[in-house]
Amino acid sequence: MGKQLRRALVGMLAGAVVVSGLPSGAVTRRERIALGARYIASRQAADGSVPGFSAVGGTADAVLALAAARRGPEAVADALAFLEGEAAGITSVGQLGKVAMAAVAGGGDPRAFGGVDVVARIQGAYDPETGRYGTDQGVGVVDQALAILGLAAAGAEVPRRAARWLAEAQCPDGGWQFDAPYDPAVDDRHCSSGEDDFSMSDTNTTAYAVMALEVAPPVRLRRDPFRYFDLARDGIKGGWRYDFRRRPFGSLAVTDANSTGLVLQAYAAAGEDPPPRARRALAALQYRPCGRLAGAFAYTWVQRDGRWVRSPSRAEARAEAGSGGVTVIGATVGALPGLAGVPFPVPEAGPLRAPPEAPAC
């Protein structure tokens, strides 16, 4: 079965499965996704941007989430207008890759996007000698994956050498770290080069790499990346944490929305069924489906008074401008494509439906 057909089947099935976990009773995955899109649209600023670690990256991610949900035509149009206005100033090859994906998913043209040929910008950053996109010190492994995904979204050729560079950047544990490629001279099996190196193999970069290699010319990997996902899976809640460590910096790490969403996308890209409980673990992070926070996801879980509670709690999220802070919108944007079973690059969604109204609490 071809990758595109597998993706289409996964996307169609995503709305038909019923999961539970919200206090108000059983909610279908389709309903969860639709309410998640509602929340994203509700957080959009007047200029079309959506909050995130960066305005461009956060807004591009939001477009991809809405397109995966097949909801929010006005929000997508406004977000693309914002990105078009920012396109000329984007220099990061990773952000260019995200914008190319967003343009295609939202029905735009990445070759003529706000007067910019985003595809040509990505191609112009390519070093044919090494296979790397961008050679500046700040360009990381995740940027390589995003550049490949952006090119694939636009239907542009991905050089085999670019895929080989990404494959060779893999850590011996099967994962990838977001900044530097594996260096056998200094790195251990987790791509850590010593006590001062806080960047190690992580689930997020590994998921991006898996998705990128699925749409690139085939190359050989030294390790099965799904073994890394097994290593980094949270046995308490059933999803995934950011990396393989159970207690980074002394605190117990459990399922978080962004990591779990991305890993579920990686499984969908490879045409593989995720482990049992994985989708339910992501769905469980969604708040009660009512009020201003209807559809929003908490980032993770914390232990309080001997029990696990969402973090931030609904009360904590409501205290931040009444509708959640950057952490909550980021978690929701990250969760939707994984919950929908739609990997990157998200294909053009076609006509989108308006998000539903938020039920009253």
Side-chain angles (χ1 to χ4, degrees), residues 179 192-200:
D179 55 358
S192 173
S193 59
E195 293 183 0
D196 295 331
D197 182 9
F198 295 102
S199 173
M200 304 178 188

Side-chain angles (χ1 to χ4, degrees), residues 141 168-173 176-177 179-194 197-201 222:
V141 173
E168 292 174 351
Q170 188 183 28
C171 307
D173 64 9
W176 280 261
Q177 68 169 342
D179 55 358
Y182 172 63
D183 182 350
V186 298
D187 287 332
D188 64 15
R189 66 185 298 263
H190 299 301
C191 280
S192 173
S193 59
D197 182 9
F198 295 102
S199 173
M200 304 178 188
S201 52
R222 64 168 60 93

Side-chain angles (χ1 to χ4, degrees), residues 102-317:
V104 172
D109 183 0
R111 291 178 172 81
F113 193 73
V116 175
D117 187 337
V118 178
V119 176
R121 287 271 188 94
I122 297 172
Q123 293 170 327
Y126 181 64
D127 182 350
E129 294 297 320
T130 64
R132 189 173 187 175
Y133 287 97
T135 56
D136 295 338
Q137 187 175 2
V139 177
V141 173
V142 71
D143 296 286
Q144 182 85 359
L146 289 169
I148 290 173
L149 288 167
L151 292 175
E157 180 183 2
V158 176
R160 186 180 299 274
R161 189 176 291 272
R164 188 176 298 120
W165 187 96
L166 183 58
E168 292 174 351
Q170 188 183 28
C171 307
D173 64 9
W176 280 261
Q177 68 169 342
F178 81 92
D179 55 358
Y182 172 63
D183 182 350
V186 298
D187 287 332
D188 64 15
R189 66 185 298 263
H190 299 301
C191 280
S192 173
S193 59
E195 293 183 0
D196 295 331
D197 182 9
F198 295 102
S199 173
M200 304 178 188
S201 52
D202 68 83
T203 55
N204 292 222
T205 306
T206 302
Y208 280 122
V210 168
M211 288 186 276
L213 291 171
E214 282 290 328
V215 296
V219 292
R220 180 176 297 179
L221 291 174
R222 64 168 60 93
R223 296 286 187 275
D224 179 0
F226 290 89
R227 295 283 185 90
Y228 181 79
F229 292 143
D230 290 342
L231 181 66
R233 193 174 179 209
D234 162 34
I236 297 174
K237 289 294 183 179
W240 284 270
R241 51 185 175 262
Y242 178 72
D243 62 29
F244 62 92
R245 295 172 295 176
R246 289 175 173 80
R247 289 185 175 274
F249 311 112
S251 300
L252 184 64
V254 293
T255 296
D256 72 75
N258 299 79
S259 300
T260 303
L262 280 167
V263 174
L264 287 172
Q265 286 183 271
Y267 273 91
E272 301 287 342
D273 290 330
R277 298 174 53 218
R279 291 193 185 100
R280 183 168 296 187
L282 179 58
L285 280 166
Q286 197 171 35
Y287 299 117
R288 287 184 296 121
C290 63
R292 295 183 66 178
L293 284 172
F297 284 73
Y299 172 67
T300 188
W301 301 89
V302 296
Q303 282 188 306
R304 291 178 182 165
D305 299 324
R307 64 189 184 94
W308 290 101
V309 296
R310 295 177 186 85
S311 179
S313 68
R314 187 180 180 92
E316 290 167 340

